[in-house]
Amino acid sequence: REDFNWTGAWAPGDMDALQCDFSNMLSPEMFRKFALPELERESDFMDYAIWHLDGTGEFRHLDDICAVKKINAIQWIDEQRTVRGPEKFIEIWQKIRKKGKSLLFSIVTVDQAVELTRQLGPSGLAFTIVELDSMSTMEKALKKIKQAC
């Protein structure tokens, strides 16, 4: 058994990306009442689960999301990616890693992946890098990322 989903993540068992984009408009109390129980139920059906963190509005729910045991990783796409990059939120990513969750950064540049690896370390990180258009650019990107470790 194995699974692959829209985030680009692969797992050696049943896996999917869970999300509640509406939670951007929920208070932490409302999230706990309306979204968290469903998140826990859904994740129980899977061997591996990723939470799609849909923008900075969901940062207030991270403690609750990371408390769900079946959530293995947090996947991030910045709602303002043309203005800022994920490296602007390094304290958030450090908090997630300290809670034992991996991180998947979608739609990042090579330089952003290098900086995140430099600041967070290589363990538990995955990237969807937009600039890769050939094997040679991928190999160059991997070399730069490895040098950041």
Side-chain angles (χ1 to χ4, degrees):
R1 294 179 349 165
E2 60 185 76
D3 215 339
F4 182 80
N5 68 28
W6 65 267
T7 67
W10 173 90
D14 293 328
M15 181 261 311
D16 207 350
L18 306 173
Q19 66 189 79
C20 179
D21 295 354
F22 181 72
S23 68
N24 276 296
M25 296 183 274
L26 298 177
S27 69
E29 296 77 23
M30 292 172 77
F31 181 84
R32 285 183 206 111
K33 182 176 181 180
F34 297 111
L36 192 58
E38 182 61 24
L39 169 58
E40 290 171 338
R41 275 193 297 275
E42 277 189 76
S43 66
D44 278 342
F45 287 106
M46 298 170 214
D47 299 317
Y48 303 91
I50 295 172
W51 178 261
H52 165 62
L53 190 65
D54 191 43
T56 55
E58 288 189 8
F59 284 174
R60 65 181 165 267
H61 306 307
L62 275 172
D63 286 336
D64 291 322
I65 293 165
C66 288
V68 177
K69 289 180 178 42
K70 290 289 222 118
I71 297 282
N72 304 94
I74 305 295
Q75 181 266 341
W76 168 257
I77 295 178
D78 189 353
E79 73 272 20
Q80 293 185 23
R81 69 181 176 269
T82 58
V83 179
R84 62 184 180 207
E87 64 278 10
K88 304 286 190 245
F89 304 107
I90 201 70
E91 298 84 18
I92 299 291
W93 316 137
Q94 289 169 335
K95 179 179 179 180
I96 292 168
R97 291 298 298 131
K98 285 180 184 170
K99 292 181 179 285
K101 308 299 180 183
S102 295
L103 290 162
L104 169 58
F105 295 98
S106 296
I107 311 177
V108 297
T109 66
V110 172
D111 289 341
Q112 289 169 332
V114 167
E115 183 60 22
L116 290 164
T117 303
R118 189 184 67 72
Q119 292 195 45
L120 297 170
S123 178
L125 298 182
F127 304 102
T128 303
I129 300 174
V130 295
E131 302 163 312
L132 304 181
D133 58 0
S134 68
M135 284 296 289
S136 65
T137 57
M138 182 181 70
E139 289 168 357
K140 288 175 188 173
L142 285 172
K143 184 177 179 181
K144 285 177 91 172
I145 293 168
K146 286 179 183 180
Q147 289 172 345
C149 298

